[in-house]
């Protein structure tokens, strides 16, 4: 007799995952090919952006692996594919970023999905992007000793004046 706490065989889990991914594709209008186009176009914009481009340039030496990882991330976030196993929060905590950077990231992402996606897919991607930005901003603020209240945004303190 199987109890509610037993783990079923992996074939059953794989079938459920595949069905969930297919449902997500149908509900959102997003598939792996669209994710590929969005990630490539978005990061092309990021690399040339005056505000957030330098932050990426200081940390990403080889864009190929980074883009592959971002495609897995978005597949997992939007399609529930489970192909991304990373932890984005620790990577963002030490970055010199605040609300301005998250707003710019969202604006570039909005421009990208508006240009490349059908409305339903753009809405699904933007919904997740907003949640991700909010979560990361809260984490960055907390890592910098700032506890944000509802509706508050994180503004990094200016660097100390050195008189130089």
């Amino acid at each position: 007799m199987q109890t509610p706490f037993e783990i079923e065989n992996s074939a059953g889990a794989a079938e459920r995952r595949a069905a969930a991914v297919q449902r997500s594709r149908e509900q959102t209008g997003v598939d792996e090919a669209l994710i590929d186009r969005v990630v490539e176009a978005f990061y092309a914009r990021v690399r040339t952006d005056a505000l957030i481009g330098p932050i990426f340039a200081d940390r990403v030496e080889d864009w190929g692996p980074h883009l592959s990882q971002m495609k897995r991330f978005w597949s997992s976030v939007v399609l529930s594919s489970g192909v991304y196993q990373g932890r984005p929060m620790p990577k963002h905590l030490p970055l010199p970023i605040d609300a301005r950077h998250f707003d710019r990231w969202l604006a570039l992402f909005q421009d990208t999905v508006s240009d490349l996606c059908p409305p339903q897919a753009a809405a699904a991607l933007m919904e997740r992007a907003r949640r991700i930005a909010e979560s990361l901003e809260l984490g960055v603020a907390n890592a910098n000793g700032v506890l944000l209240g509802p509706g508050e945004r994180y503004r990094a303190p200016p660097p100390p004046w050195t008189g130089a």
Side-chain angles (χ1 to χ4, degrees):
M1 178 175 154
Q2 186 177 12
T3 70
F5 303 106
E6 288 183 54
I7 298 173
E8 68 180 85
N9 67 41
S10 61
E15 290 171 5
R16 281 195 320 282
R17 169 80 69 183
V21 169
Q22 185 57 37
R23 275 193 309 277
S24 294
R25 286 182 190 126
E26 292 166 0
Q27 292 169 353
T28 64
V30 176
D31 62 15
E32 288 81 357
L34 182 59
I35 289 169
D36 185 78
R37 289 192 305 276
V38 166
V39 168
E40 293 284 341
F42 172 66
Y43 282 100
R45 291 175 184 199
V46 163
R47 282 181 271 198
T48 63
D49 187 74
L51 180 63
I52 65 175
I55 294 167
F56 283 86
D58 287 347
R59 286 154 186 86
V60 180
E61 293 179 20
D62 186 353
W63 279 93
H66 182 72
L67 294 175
S68 294
Q69 184 174 16
M70 292 301 92
K71 291 170 188 176
R72 290 190 300 274
F73 173 79
W74 283 101
S75 175
S76 291
V77 167
V78 178
L79 301 177
S80 302
S81 66
V83 295
Y84 176 78
Q85 301 298 319
R87 295 176 47 224
M89 186 65 76
K91 294 177 182 179
H92 289 80
L93 296 182
L95 298 177
I97 55 178
D98 66 10
R100 295 173 309 126
H101 300 91
F102 289 107
D103 289 347
R104 185 65 186 145
W105 183 86
L106 283 170
L108 291 173
F109 198 80
Q110 176 70 64
D111 290 346
T112 304
V113 299
S114 294
D115 288 348
L116 297 178
C117 301
Q120 178 180 342
L125 287 161
M126 278 310 300
E127 175 189 349
R128 273 104 175 156
R130 284 186 194 96
R131 288 182 193 171
I132 291 162
E134 181 179 8
S135 176
L136 290 174
E137 184 178 333
L138 287 169
V140 169
N142 194 329
N144 285 282
V146 177
L147 182 61
L148 296 177
E152 291 181 330
R153 303 294 308 278
Y154 174 62
R155 304 281 184 218
W161 185 71
T162 61

